[in-house]
Amino acid sequence: MTLADDVTGDLEKYGSARFCGLSLSASAYLASTLPHPESLVIVTPDRTTAQALARDLNFFLTKAGALVLPEAESIPLERMLPDMDTVSARIRALTTISASRAPAVIPAPALLQPVPPPALLGRSDLVLRVEMNLDREPFLTKLLSWGYRRVAVVSQVGEFAVRGGIIDVFSSTADLPYRLELWGDEIKSIRIFDPDLQRSVDTKVEIHILPVTETILDTVALAGGIARLRNYLSSLKIGLRERENILSLWEEGKGFPGISLFMPAIYECLATPLDYLTESSLLILFEPEQIADSMRDFFRLAQARAAEDLPPPGEVYIDPEVALKNLAGRRFIKIGDFGGSDAREVVSGRTLTFPELSSRTDRMAELGRLIETKKWLRLRIAAKNETAAERISGLLSGLGHEVPHISPDNMISSDLCAGITIGHLSTGFYLQDEGLAFVSESDIFGPTREMRVGRKTPPEWDLPIGSLAAGDIVVHIEHGIARYDGLKQLEVADHFGEFLHLAFFGGDTLYVPVQDMNRVQRYRSSSEPSPHLSKLGTAAWGRTKERVRRSLRNMADELIRLSAVRKSKTGHSFGEPDFIFREFEASFPWTETPDQEKTIKEILDDMMSPNPMDRLVCGDVGYGKTEVALRASFLAALHGKQTALLVPTTVLAQQHYHNFTERMEGFPVRIAMLSRFVSPAEVKVILKELAAGKVDIIIGTHRLLSGDVKFADLGLLVIDEEHRFGVRHKEKLKKIKETVDILTLSATPIPRTLYQSFSGLRDLSLMHTPPADRKAVHTEIRYFDEHLIRDAVEREMDRGGQIYIVHNRIMSIHAFAEMVRKLVPQARVGVAHGQMAERKLERIMVMFLKGDYDVLVTTAIIESGLDIPNANTLVINRADRFGLAQLYQLRGRVGRSSVLAYSYLLV
């Protein structure tokens, strides 16, 4: 008998079922095997558990993908603008729940928070089909009332653009925006397009457009809504100026900070996600006791934050006891630890976790033994992608076990004893009665974190339409210099399309299809602001390109001669990556981006070549350059060669030392660091061991350039943030050993380095695939408000993060920090500014990096600082005193992970 059979029987007999001993992933398996999983709602204690369970559920579901209905990002009763991504996810999930199209996972606090009434959202689902008539102006007005913003070029959810008969719109229901092509009032085509390249990637016959705001300006629902809002604001102790500002924004159809708090008053009802459940909905409560505690904690926090200028918590959120009673009155399955409950209601001993073994090698060996001895057991190994599947297959093959790949559609029904399948599974589990076991990558290699791959920049010129204006001078890669005269719609071979209109000398015209726009680039020159246009059909442009090529070759001659000595030397040829390297590779806790995989392959090929490597890796912060250096350093260590990693600052050296030590834990690699934070006695020991070959990887600042630093057998030199070092420093390093492999990492390489790479003197690897789970920084301009600072700090601390507060006046910075301590007594506040002694400043920065401070009150010295993914809230006091470029740099300190970051510019 299967788990699903037990559930079905209990539901028919008692209307409910209880299970204990089910892990998160096993619970997802159970949910996927139930009849009609699309009418399923799973409640979890928090958002992290909800997201993990949804990923596991999607591993087992091959058709209907589970969605998460997240709670609002703000803490209870906080007056802030809603985040577009979060609102879109909530709207999408609510629509899915009401239509029973797919399972939905809801964190407990979200059940208490207000949402649009079901009838209102039901009226706000616009279906568009090819060949239907569309009233253009009413449609655009509806988009505005649904929270969309009109822009020149659509790039993110909640935007739309209009160009003649073309309407682009990025709906909350879609992963990519839609392009509607109108002929009169008729929709001729609906295309899905890539917003980065502005190219179509697919076509659709029917699409759904949903609002991107929860306060929908529906004429039926809002009849009298402005009057209700006015009366409600009058009952609160809100200043007249702020009250009128809120009302004017609402009348203009714009949102205002804290708009969700007034939804019950606007709609005359308090609707929550519970109102969207249908009679056929089946509830799964994962850890019911934790769900109840989470709800009560949320409501208690709301009551503690109650104020006279805020709506009462009971009018904004549903009481948790009412919500729990509502849940108990439905068909439900409870999964949790029910020690001491009626044994008839509990199915125990059904799941066993995969053995916790000491090392990855032991786990692989245990996996092999399971395959060999448990012939009756159907074993499924979950790999996060094809690359990971190949690694696991290769490791098992090295142990003498050939395990085939198996399709996710057949992984349950197949009779294969063992198989590797592609998908995300948090942890493995074992179903004894069903003779079925799952093993995840995290069971073998440690915890993994899934990272969706972002869009990749094309290899040719990339020029978004929105970056050009009519009259701009452009260069066509084949035809030369022209003037851009805008987009034109033309009919070619019975097909309507958009073309770039390029005007050349003598009135010649060239129409370039939008899909070929990567062959057009904006003209840039520091010496000739108004160039002569090229003439079509002549060889002049070809001669110009050849003249430039010759000039570049002449300029490169000197650099070529300088590099000739190094290029002619024979370096060390590293061997092929072995079993241990593949094991280290598989322990990478993220999913490699295509650029990462390509760069790693290029570097490994360079290291296995007899010629010395000299490669520049260029990519933005967070794009995976450190992992590239880790792989190269590990390969060098495996072949008995030493690696020197040169970094510009002590704090960055500390960060790299931590990362390298953590990643190589459990592997036979000795790592050391040289910096001012290392005592003189320790430095002597490290230098002695380095010269004796007992240190495999040395990480350090300019201290590595000192004359007393001797290597036993240096094989690899890694230079991080190379633009922070002078030419003298780098040339000195190259002379340490002329045959050493050199790997340079930089987000902003200096022109000389970049020129050498483009000229072919150095190999170049570009990493321009951003992690798509990196969200845009939520930025607000607000008047100085102590309550806002308190809320921002408390929200970030509540999710375990850290906060930068920029106060660019050293004379009053300590007083400002003391104010923060009084506002949030539980916060650990540090102060950093440029007039501090260097060692004290670095110590404070390292403490912030290690998490010893929750808040860092600082000056603008952080504008070009460390990558600290845990710092995701920024408050800038007197932002009006900063320049735009400086504000942009400061805001770049946050938003370096998948967590939504906040930036408040106080004026």
Side-chain angles (χ1 to χ4, degrees):
M1 181 176 288
T2 65
L3 282 173
D5 294 332
D6 288 335
V7 171
T8 304
D10 285 351
L11 288 175
E12 289 178 355
K13 191 173 182 179
Y14 307 110
S16 63
R18 287 188 172 194
F19 288 86
C20 70
L22 290 174
S23 64
L24 191 74
S25 51
S27 303
Y29 170 78
L30 168 63
S32 70
T33 59
L34 296 174
H36 310 296
E38 64 276 1
S39 57
L40 179 69
V41 174
I42 307 174
V43 183
T44 65
D46 51 58
R47 182 188 290 202
T48 302
T49 307
Q51 291 170 335
L53 198 148
R55 284 195 298 267
D56 285 347
L57 187 53
N58 286 328
F59 173 75
F60 297 107
L61 294 174
T62 56
K63 293 181 180 177
L67 296 176
V68 175
L69 193 160
E71 73 270 31
E73 285 279 352
S74 57
I75 56 179
L77 297 180
E78 183 181 15
R79 296 271 298 275
M80 67 172 289
L81 288 168
D83 171 61
M84 181 71 73
D85 289 339
T86 301
V87 170
S88 297
R90 285 164 62 85
I91 294 288
R92 192 172 183 176
L94 288 171
T95 307
T96 298
I97 294 171
S98 61
S100 297
R101 286 198 288 258
V105 188
I106 309 177
L111 289 176
L112 309 181
Q113 297 174 347
V115 295
L120 172 60
L121 193 56
R123 295 195 302 267
S124 304
D125 185 357
L126 180 61
V127 181
L128 301 179
R129 301 182 187 88
V130 174
E131 296 185 352
M132 74 175 285
N133 286 332
L134 179 69
D135 290 335
R136 174 189 163 111
E137 293 307 319
F139 172 64
L140 299 181
T141 302
K142 185 182 290 289
L143 289 179
L144 290 171
S145 69
W146 283 0
Y148 288 84
R149 293 184 299 112
R150 185 165 182 169
V151 295
V153 179
V154 168
S155 62
Q156 56 188 346
V157 170
E159 295 179 341
F160 74 96
V162 182
R163 297 187 307 278
I166 303 292
I167 301 177
D168 295 342
V169 58
F170 206 148
S171 173
S172 59
T173 60
D175 296 323
L176 290 173
Y178 301 121
R179 176 163 289 161
L180 310 177
E181 187 176 4
L182 304 181
W183 187 250
D185 289 335
E186 184 182 352
I187 301 177
K188 297 295 292 183
S189 69
I190 301 175
R191 290 176 282 166
I192 301 173
F193 70 95
D194 187 321
D196 289 343
L197 308 181
Q198 295 292 310
R199 295 182 185 174
S200 299
V201 296
D202 200 0
T203 58
K204 298 282 283 188
V205 177
E206 178 181 294
I207 60 172
H208 290 257
I209 305 292
L210 285 171
V212 290
T213 177
E214 294 184 86
T215 45
I216 304 166
L217 292 170
D218 180 277
T219 53
V220 177
L222 295 185
I226 186 66
R228 289 194 296 271
L229 181 60
R230 185 182 297 276
N231 293 335
Y232 192 75
L233 290 173
S234 300
S235 67
L236 304 175
K237 291 191 175 181
I238 296 179
L240 178 63
R241 176 182 173 183
E242 184 178 0
R243 189 189 318 162
E244 292 304 317
N245 184 47
I246 288 174
L247 291 170
S248 64
L249 286 171
W250 179 250
E251 289 175 335
E252 294 172 12
K254 299 177 181 178
F256 53 87
I259 189 172
S260 61
L261 303 181
F262 302 99
M263 283 174 59
I266 293 168
Y267 295 127
E268 282 193 305
C269 69
L270 174 55
T272 68
L274 291 171
D275 298 313
Y276 283 78
L277 301 183
T278 63
E279 292 184 1
S280 63
S281 295
L282 174 63
L283 286 172
I284 293 181
L285 307 180
F286 185 78
E287 299 293 351
E289 293 183 2
Q290 293 182 29
I291 289 172
D293 290 343
S294 179
M295 287 183 176
R296 290 167 182 146
D297 288 345
F298 178 89
F299 201 73
R300 275 196 293 268
L301 181 56
Q303 291 175 320
R305 290 174 49 80
E308 293 181 339
D309 60 343
L310 293 172
E315 295 180 11
V316 180
Y317 310 111
I318 187 173
D319 187 280
E321 306 308 323
V322 174
L324 291 169
K325 185 177 180 181
N326 192 321
L327 292 173
R330 299 177 179 272
R331 292 194 313 147
F332 63 82
I333 302 168
K334 288 186 176 181
I335 298 174
D337 184 8
F338 304 106
S341 59
D342 190 343
R344 178 180 56 79
E345 297 177 340
V346 177
V347 180
S348 61
R350 288 204 179 264
T351 63
L352 299 172
T353 58
F354 192 68
E356 291 281 344
L357 299 172
S358 58
S359 70
R360 302 180 183 95
T361 304
D362 289 341
R363 292 171 194 159
M364 290 302 300
E366 176 66 20
L367 195 56
R369 282 193 290 272
L370 280 175
I371 296 171
E372 183 65 31
T373 61
K374 305 287 187 180
K375 295 295 185 181
W376 54 270
L377 178 71
R378 289 179 296 147
L379 181 66
R380 302 294 178 257
I381 304 169
K384 56 193 175 187
N385 54 31
E386 289 287 351
T387 303
E390 291 297 334
R391 287 177 189 153
I392 294 174
S393 179
L395 290 170
L396 287 172
S397 180
L399 295 171
H401 304 287
E402 299 299 331
V403 181
H405 290 213
I406 186 170
S407 167
D409 296 334
N410 303 324
M411 63 180 177
I412 306 296
S413 58
S414 173
D415 293 329
L416 279 174
C417 173
I420 300 173
T421 189
I422 306 298
H424 175 95
L425 189 66
S426 57
T427 58
F429 59 93
Y430 171 43
L431 302 173
Q432 186 174 4
D433 291 354
E434 300 183 26
L436 182 64
F438 287 89
V439 176
S440 72
E441 276 194 73
S442 61
D443 296 322
I444 307 170
F445 304 116
T448 60
R449 290 165 281 184
E450 187 67 18
M451 180 169 66
R452 301 187 305 276
V453 175
R455 303 184 187 93
K456 187 172 180 178
T457 307
E460 294 191 78
W461 294 348
D462 179 26
L463 183 64
I465 292 175
S467 68
L468 283 179
D472 284 350
I473 302 299
V474 297
V475 181
H476 191 285
I477 194 170
E478 294 171 352
H479 300 290
I481 301 172
R483 185 182 66 250
Y484 171 67
D485 283 348
L487 288 172
K488 303 291 183 184
Q489 271 197 305
L490 300 175
E491 182 179 4
V492 179
D494 298 326
H495 176 74
F496 283 91
E498 284 186 296
F499 295 79
L500 279 72
H501 181 193
L502 304 185
F504 288 81
F505 179 79
D508 292 342
T509 295
L510 179 69
Y511 293 102
V512 180
V514 169
Q515 59 267 27
D516 292 335
M517 66 182 299
N518 60 322
R519 307 190 69 76
V520 178
Q521 177 68 292
R522 184 195 301 278
Y523 176 85
R524 294 181 177 90
S525 173
S526 59
S527 59
E528 190 180 0
S530 301
H532 295 293
L533 302 185
S534 301
K535 185 170 179 60
L536 285 177
T538 69
W541 177 245
R543 290 195 298 270
T544 300
K545 290 198 293 183
E546 183 56 35
R547 187 170 62 249
V548 172
R549 288 193 187 101
R550 286 199 303 270
S551 176
L552 289 174
R553 281 195 294 268
N554 293 334
M555 291 172 64
D557 281 345
E558 182 62 24
L559 288 173
I560 291 174
R561 284 194 295 271
L562 291 174
S563 299
V565 174
R566 180 176 167 79
K567 291 288 185 181
S568 64
K569 294 283 186 178
T570 299
H572 178 76
S573 179
F574 292 89
E576 291 274 350
D578 59 6
F579 183 89
I580 298 177
F581 183 86
R582 295 305 178 194
E583 192 176 333
F584 173 75
E585 201 172 39
S587 67
F588 181 46
W590 297 100
T591 301
E592 293 92 342
T593 66
D595 284 343
Q596 258 187 317
E597 290 183 337
K598 179 174 179 290
T599 301
I600 290 169
K601 182 181 183 304
E602 290 170 343
I603 290 171
L604 296 183
D605 288 344
D606 286 350
M607 294 178 70
M608 289 185 285
S609 167
N611 297 321
M613 174 175 70
D614 193 359
R615 180 172 292 275
L616 168 66
V617 176
C618 186
D620 204 352
V621 174
Y623 282 30
K625 298 191 298 297
T626 301
E627 178 63 21
V628 169
L630 275 160
R631 303 275 176 99
S633 304
F634 191 78
L635 183 64
L638 288 181
H639 288 83
K641 291 286 186 177
Q642 293 173 305
T643 297
L645 173 57
L646 179 67
V647 298
T649 66
T650 303
V651 181
L652 192 54
Q654 182 77 28
Q655 181 172 328
H656 275 311
Y657 178 74
H658 173 76
N659 291 337
F660 271 64
T661 304
E662 184 179 49
R663 274 286 279 121
M664 296 185 184
E665 185 180 6
F667 292 96
V669 180
R670 168 91 159 90
I671 305 167
M673 179 179 67
L674 284 180
S675 74
R676 287 192 300 273
F677 286 170
V678 181
S679 68
E682 289 177 304
V683 168
K684 286 183 179 179
V685 174
I686 291 171
L687 290 177
K688 185 177 180 180
E689 292 182 341
L690 183 66
K694 296 180 181 179
V695 173
D696 299 301
I697 301 173
I698 184 74
I699 300 169
T701 58
H702 296 77
R703 181 68 176 82
L704 285 179
L705 304 177
S706 302
D708 59 345
V709 178
K710 306 294 182 184
F711 296 92
D713 191 4
L714 182 63
L716 176 65
L717 170 64
V718 181
I719 305 172
D720 193 19
E721 300 294 335
E722 62 91 28
H723 59 282
R724 301 282 295 274
F725 296 96
V727 173
R728 180 175 55 85
H729 293 137
K730 285 176 283 188
E731 294 306 321
K732 182 176 180 180
L733 278 168
K734 288 184 181 180
K735 290 176 182 177
I736 292 175
K737 194 168 184 182
E738 292 180 341
T739 57
V740 72
D741 285 352
I742 297 177
L743 179 62
T744 304
L745 313 176
S746 182
T748 54
I750 60 175
R752 176 179 178 271
T753 300
L754 205 56
Y755 179 77
Q756 286 180 313
S757 298
F758 287 158
S759 300
L761 297 181
R762 308 177 70 177
D763 295 314
L764 174 67
S765 294
L766 295 176
M767 298 178 65
H768 46 198
T769 304
D773 56 355
R774 182 175 296 182
K775 300 179 181 178
V777 179
H778 179 97
T779 305
E780 293 186 31
I781 301 174
R782 302 281 289 272
Y783 287 106
F784 179 86
D785 184 351
E786 291 185 358
H787 297 298
L788 184 147
I789 296 174
R790 180 200 63 190
D791 290 349
V793 172
E794 287 182 346
R795 184 190 337 104
E796 191 60 54
M797 290 180 61
D798 186 57
R799 61 181 184 178
Q802 295 168 279
I803 305 96
Y804 291 112
I805 298 182
V806 177
H807 178 81
N808 211 29
R809 289 291 180 271
I810 293 175
M811 291 181 63
S812 56
I813 193 169
H814 288 283
F816 194 92
E818 189 59 33
M819 180 200 72
V820 174
R821 292 187 183 100
K822 290 179 180 178
L823 288 173
V824 192
Q826 69 272 26
R828 298 167 298 171
V829 181
V831 178
H833 58 77
Q835 291 184 10
M836 284 181 168
E838 191 174 81
R839 288 188 64 83
K840 183 178 180 182
L841 175 61
E842 289 183 343
R843 186 176 68 252
I844 290 172
M845 293 302 297
V846 169
M847 290 177 67
F848 185 67
L849 171 65
K850 291 166 62 178
D852 294 339
Y853 290 125
D854 301 305
V855 182
L856 184 67
V857 179
T858 178
T859 58
I861 60 169
I862 64 165
E863 63 181 315
S864 56
L866 287 174
D867 177 18
I868 305 181
N870 199 44
N872 281 299
T873 292
L874 169 71
V875 179
I876 303 178
N877 187 33
R878 289 308 304 266
D880 49 303
R881 291 180 173 175
F882 291 86
L884 185 60
Q886 197 171 24
L887 288 174
Y888 184 84
Q889 287 290 329
L890 286 168
R891 194 180 65 164
R893 296 307 97 206
V894 296
R896 293 169 175 260
S897 68
S898 60
V899 177
L900 177 65
Y902 297 90
S903 175
Y904 296 98
L905 311 182
L906 306 185
V907 297

